Amino acid sequence: MTFRATCLATVFAFCAAGPLAAQGKIDVAIIGDPDTFDPMVSTKDVVSIVTQHFMETLYTFDDNWQVVPLLASDMPTISEDGTTYTIPLREGVSFHDGSTMDSGDVVASLNRWKEVASRGMAIADQINGIEATGPAEITITLSEPYAPLTTLLAFSNSAAVIYPEEILADEIDEPIGTGPYKIKARQPDQYTQLVPFDDYSQPGAAAGERAQIPDEIRFIPVPDTNTRIEGLLSGQFDYADSLSTEAFERIEASDVAEPVLLEPFGWSLFAVNHKKGLMTDLNIRRAVQAALPYDDMLFAAFGDEKFFQTDGALYPEGWSWHNEAGTELYNQNDPEKAAEYLEEAGYDGQPLRILTSRQYEFHYQMAEVARMALEMAGFTVQVDVVDWATLAQNRDNPDLWDIYITHSPFLPEPTLTSSLFATAREGWANPEKEEILDRFTRETDPEARKEIYAELQQKVYEDVGLIKIGNFNVVQGKSRALSGVTPSPWPVFWNARKEQ
């Protein structure tokens, strides 16, 4: 048995007893229990929020969404033809089992990433090789230029995290990382307890200090929105994720807590099943697109216009990717036109299955308004309401849904939107879209990429690759005694400090 395997049981002690008493404890209420601690295989925010504290990638983002080194020691050296990336690695970085990261661990981890991670699989065909070209250096060779590569390597979900080579397998139940915290204990559906990793090696200044201030961080799954709110207001939780907009003024008036408004946060969308079922028919997709009343859906979900924007552009104004291509097909709210598409499709009343959850209450509210509008257009609608963990499992089975409701923050690189790729669970494989996407990822000139992205947005609307509902802001909440947490879709707590 290797040293790493021997230490594994100690490092990753999933114990049934309560967490140990500690000074500087931070309690964070999240929407549910992560169904995995392997961020390679998940795109769920709840997984990213927790795992980013103990798993790390070669690169990360600074406060301006610029890619900066994390486990890499510098940005890559890129060949003139854009196909060879030579990446230097930091030396002396320890894994939680006491072993030291080297190029072999990085190569093995990235090879697994391109096989099991949705973002890795999206570019796997363009990777000719990943090899160690020194003890602290790797080289990635591509078949053609891929402009977003470093952004993909920096992202925290479907993440290219680095594991010890010896633990790699198709499924990793007990992860070992390099992050500033490590798992001390976990009680499923009750808490995950993290404690500082004593041998953590700080990254360079560009990545920011990870100060390990709390002696303990507890992530507590609280599926009910109101329970998260009440726990925040009572002082039970120091931070609470994904709160209802209706609670904003109540939290704002509290002496104990204060709201954290992320504005603009991102966009809500209906993910479309292109693999099986009703939505494989373009006329059915167009009927859904024509029928939906986005203003009504957003108002039902968020209650006040200060929390949403009815906007068809996939990126809002102020982002370099903003354009209006295809948006004439947004917010049609035309049941008669939808009925015409249904007639052309020969629709026979088969239920349109919408998969959603109440753990994100705004998803459910949008589903209910959508149901009424779609029924007015002639659809038979079946809304399947499940918990988020079940939704995450069921959406991987194309036999179980036609649409599932989700959302995403605005991401710095459009190709981080996995729904655009045929390899994603939705399976959108339009040949014209593939050609546009291929040109977009090969192009390195920023202005040319913006023009190609407008073509891609046009195709999203024409082929109904996905259905954007609108932009929205997110309410989180924090204790007034808590500082050191930067508002983010994926808040981190290694610099959090709580006044006693």
Side-chain angles (χ1 to χ4, degrees), residues 441-460:
T441 56
R442 283 189 285 110
E443 182 58 64
T444 57
D445 179 74
E447 293 304 315
R449 294 192 83 216
K450 291 177 188 177
E451 294 179 6
I452 299 171
Y453 184 66
E455 294 181 50
L456 185 58
Q457 181 173 296
Q458 181 77 38
K459 186 55 62 177
V460 166

